[in-house]
Amino acid sequence: MRIRLIAVGRKMPKWVTSAYEDYAARLPRECRLELVEIAPGMRKQASDAAKAIAAEDERMTRAIGRDEHVIALDVDAKAWSTQALADDLRDWMADGRDRAILVGGPDGLGQASRQRADSRRSLSALTLPHPLVRVIVAEQLFRAHSMLIGHPYHRA
């Protein structure tokens, strides 16, 4: 099974890239994590946000694989605890179907991306910077996998 993190944004700070790559590399082949970066829409004025979201939305929906199960990260969705993610990961690995996790840009996900999602989850009620979300998702997937195999990384 492959998990693709489809995220708006390119040219992340070095610390984001380094941390994401570190956690992604720790995951085993049976649940490998791949990053797909989506070019952000142009925002010159506040009125450009709707156009930017639409452009990001179009690129994001094109990047989603035809048979992928899609999870949209959305602050207003059901909270995703570490244990719930571990339970989901166990089910995903048993199912074997590829997954796509969608991370929107500064203004969130577009309507088509939300509609394409098979489920929606929230990492936090806090508003998180979208570059940081990449690191959190990679770390939490590694933590969830560690829980499933009884590795001592997760000590809660």
Side-chain angles (χ1 to χ4, degrees):
M1 176 200 57
R2 173 180 67 162
I3 303 168
R4 293 190 323 132
L5 183 60
I6 303 175
V8 173
R10 294 189 171 163
K11 299 181 183 176
M12 292 293 119
K14 189 172 185 167
W15 69 267
V16 171
T17 303
S18 177
Y20 168 83
E21 289 174 354
D22 179 57
Y23 286 114
R26 294 181 192 196
L27 286 164
R29 290 183 60 97
E30 63 264 18
C31 59
R32 71 186 183 276
L33 180 61
E34 297 175 4
L35 177 63
V36 177
E37 293 182 312
I38 302 297
M42 297 297 292
R43 290 170 176 82
K44 293 182 182 174
Q45 299 175 356
S47 62
D48 291 337
K51 289 179 185 176
I53 292 170
E56 293 162 359
D57 198 30
E58 193 272 325
R59 288 190 281 270
M60 184 166 282
T61 55
R62 271 197 330 234
I64 297 169
R66 186 174 49 124
D67 296 326
E68 287 180 320
H69 179 93
V70 178
I71 302 101
L73 295 183
D74 186 349
V75 70
D76 296 323
K78 178 182 175 186
W80 213 358
S81 69
T82 300
Q83 183 61 56
L85 176 57
D87 294 342
D88 285 347
L89 183 60
R90 181 190 59 240
D91 294 344
W92 299 349
M93 290 170 61
D95 175 75
R97 185 174 167 197
D98 288 345
R99 298 306 196 257
I101 300 175
L102 308 182
V103 179
D107 299 301
L109 291 170
Q111 190 62 30
S113 296
R114 288 181 181 174
Q115 288 176 344
R116 174 60 180 85
D118 297 296
S119 62
R120 293 176 33 223
R121 296 288 184 266
S122 173
L123 295 179
S124 172
L126 299 170
T127 301
L128 301 171
H130 59 279
L132 184 58
V133 170
R134 296 174 185 209
V135 177
I136 292 170
V137 169
E139 190 279 336
Q140 285 295 296
L141 285 167
F142 173 69
R143 181 176 297 274
H145 186 266
S146 297
M147 291 170 66
L148 294 177
I149 64 169
H151 188 278
Y153 178 80
H154 179 73
R155 293 181 178 91

